[in-house]
Amino acid sequence: MILKDKFKFVIEYFEENMPVAESELNFDNPYQLIVAVILSAQCTDKRVNMTTPAFFERFPDAESLSLATIDEIYTLIKSISYPNNKAKNLSGMAKKLVSDFDGVVPDNVEELQTLPGVGRKTANVVASVAFNKPAMAVDTHVFRVSARIGLTKNAKNPLETERQLVKYFPENLIPKAHHWLILHGRYVCKARKPDCDKCGINNICEYFLTKVKNS
């Protein structure tokens, strides 16, 4: 199967079987999303969602967060992985939002990446989820799943994966495709024990077909 047809098959499968694909982080606005995404690095969405209600009650916007001490922020996120670094990043992010963007989260990847604690993956998530921009965020799930299926070829890093995926996914589907791959990786194509027998696309998956061939 040529690559173009493989993407077509994957799109048709997920459109039918996962028509609604959204972030599992709880948020009400772009500010809350960027905070949640920063907190979610190497941490589960479930844990983040347990932490953010009290955080947003104390710091409802960038202005209030920018005035907080790092110790105040740390106290509210100490159950999250790497709370020291994340507290510093959240403080810096809020201060820059206020000083450079009037407290408003920018809607493009380039400006988002100027914020402390916001790398390309986080910027792509915010641009895609909050603003429906055609930005493909590549986390560990997207990187693993796209390589296993064979949607990407010899991608050595997230940026190479991103470039290959956006080449074949239609622009209007990129925000949804990002979640298709994440959720598929989270619940089916798991890192250690992928549930290949339960996977609806195993008939075009290079990982599964190789496994069957070698069994």
Side-chain angles (χ1 to χ4, degrees), residues 5-211:
D5 289 340
K6 181 170 286 192
F7 271 85
K8 183 175 184 290
F9 183 96
V10 167
I11 290 168
E12 290 176 350
Y13 171 80
F14 282 116
E15 284 280 38
E16 180 177 348
N17 293 277
M18 201 188 296
V20 177
E22 300 173 334
S23 174
E24 294 186 312
L25 291 170
N26 295 333
F27 66 96
D28 292 326
N29 53 56
Y31 159 74
Q32 289 190 359
L33 177 63
I34 198 170
V35 168
V37 176
I38 289 173
L39 290 174
S40 71
Q42 296 179 282
C43 186
T44 65
D45 288 357
K46 182 179 179 180
R47 169 57 60 184
V48 173
N49 290 337
M50 292 170 63
T51 303
T52 48
F55 187 94
F56 295 142
E57 184 176 357
R58 176 67 181 82
F59 307 119
D61 50 35
E63 288 82 0
S64 57
L65 183 55
S66 71
L67 299 174
T69 66
I70 291 175
D71 285 342
E72 286 177 304
I73 299 171
Y74 172 87
T75 299
L76 287 168
I77 66 168
K78 60 186 178 182
S79 66
I80 296 282
S81 59
Y82 306 104
N84 289 301
N85 284 338
K86 290 178 182 179
K88 293 175 184 175
N89 286 335
L90 287 171
S91 175
M93 181 273 295
K95 284 179 167 59
K96 192 168 182 66
L97 270 184
V98 172
S99 65
D100 292 13
F101 301 100
D102 296 321
V104 178
V105 176
D107 65 358
N108 65 83
V109 171
E110 290 71 28
E111 289 183 333
L112 283 163
Q113 286 185 92
T114 67
L115 301 171
V118 179
R120 186 169 184 85
K121 186 200 79 172
T122 296
N124 279 337
V125 170
V126 175
S128 171
V129 175
F131 303 105
N132 202 38
K133 295 295 184 70
M136 174 62 73
V138 178
D139 67 354
T140 56
H141 296 301
V142 174
F143 187 81
R144 177 181 73 254
V145 170
S146 58
R148 278 181 177 172
I149 296 170
L151 298 179
T152 57
K153 303 288 184 182
N154 303 313
K156 298 179 178 62
N157 54 56
L159 184 57
E160 287 185 12
T161 295
E162 176 188 336
R163 287 171 174 165
Q164 291 185 38
L165 292 175
V166 299
K167 184 177 179 180
Y168 287 95
F169 276 118
E171 189 173 283
N172 66 304
L173 288 180
I174 288 174
K176 186 187 286 188
H178 157 69
H179 292 298
W180 283 338
L181 296 174
I182 285 178
L183 295 172
H184 191 65
R186 190 171 288 170
Y187 298 111
V188 179
C189 192
K190 294 174 281 191
R192 293 183 180 179
K193 291 184 178 181
D195 292 329
C196 294
D197 293 337
K198 298 178 181 178
C199 176
I201 56 175
N202 60 19
N203 58 323
I204 56 96
C205 174
E206 291 185 9
Y207 174 88
F208 178 73
L209 295 175
T210 300
K211 186 173 73 170

